[in-house]
Amino acid sequence: GQATVGIDEALANIPGVVVANRYNYALDQRVSIRGAGSRANFGLRGVKVLLDGVPQSLPDGQSQLTNVDLAAIGSVEVLRGSASSLYGNGSGGVIAFTTDLSSPTPLGLTLRHTSGSFGLEKSQLRVAGRGERTLGMLSLSRTRVDGFRQYSAAETSQLLAALDRAIGASMTLQ
């Protein structure tokens, strides 16, 4: 029942995680995990971001969250404290997004449209399918908002594809 426009919707109820959403698409949202990342002027610094196990953080520790389509995400995990050091330079913590590959039928099509105040329009088309040893998903979404301030209009389009294939009894290609 959420608009899935900002990362603050996914991380709102996690203790120790603070998301400052200024509703400015040019600056991105500021994320702080137990104080790490709070000194960044914009974006996410010092926190490692993973999308289906693939690092989204740059070598200098800066991460962008605009490439994550929350409407196609199945789960979000946050690691804090010493457990996050297992992932390298993410000393401030780790945010791991996992794509939703579930498909109750061999081929499923989902269309979702959200509209709201200040000209918010978000449409998503999602196709998911499964075979004997293969799961796949393709999601296309478009968001348009006029904003409540002058010059705050934004328009984004996102394409996300995921494929999971079992190669053997204990190996999976993602």
Side-chain angles (χ1 to χ4, degrees):
Q2 296 176 336
T4 64
V5 176
I7 196 72
D8 56 333
E9 298 172 25
L11 302 177
N13 297 323
I14 299 176
V17 178
V18 177
V19 182
N21 190 351
R22 293 176 275 187
Y23 301 99
N24 187 346
Y25 286 90
L27 293 178
D28 210 2
Q29 299 174 18
R30 283 179 35 191
V31 178
S32 172
I33 298 178
R34 291 189 175 173
S38 61
R39 294 181 58 189
N41 291 332
F42 59 90
L44 186 56
R45 184 173 292 280
V47 177
K48 190 163 199 147
V49 178
L50 302 172
L51 178 61
D52 291 331
V54 178
Q56 302 295 308
S57 301
L58 297 172
D60 69 347
Q62 183 77 23
S63 298
Q64 290 285 333
L65 296 172
T66 55
N67 61 334
V68 178
D69 183 14
L70 292 175
I73 299 298
S75 65
V76 180
E77 296 179 57
V78 177
L79 288 176
R80 303 168 301 218
S82 60
S84 65
S85 64
L86 296 172
Y87 290 89
N89 69 346
S91 60
V94 178
I95 301 175
F97 297 96
T98 305
T99 305
D100 182 15
L101 285 175
S102 63
S103 177
T105 60
L107 185 63
L109 177 70
T110 305
L111 180 62
R112 178 180 177 188
H113 182 76
T114 305
S115 61
S117 58
F118 303 110
L120 172 65
E121 297 278 334
K122 180 170 183 176
S123 300
Q124 181 202 18
L125 175 67
R126 182 177 182 271
V127 179
R130 63 182 166 107
E132 288 182 25
R133 299 184 305 172
T134 306
L135 293 169
M137 187 273 305
L138 179 71
S139 173
L140 175 65
S141 69
R142 182 174 182 269
T143 305
R144 185 181 165 283
V145 62
D146 291 334
F148 57 90
R149 294 184 300 256
Q150 191 175 16
Y151 305 113
S152 64
E155 189 171 325
T156 61
S157 297
Q158 295 174 313
L159 176 68
L160 179 65
L163 183 70
D164 194 349
R165 179 160 175 84
I167 297 174
S170 63
M171 273 201 297
T172 304
L173 177 67
Q174 293 183 344

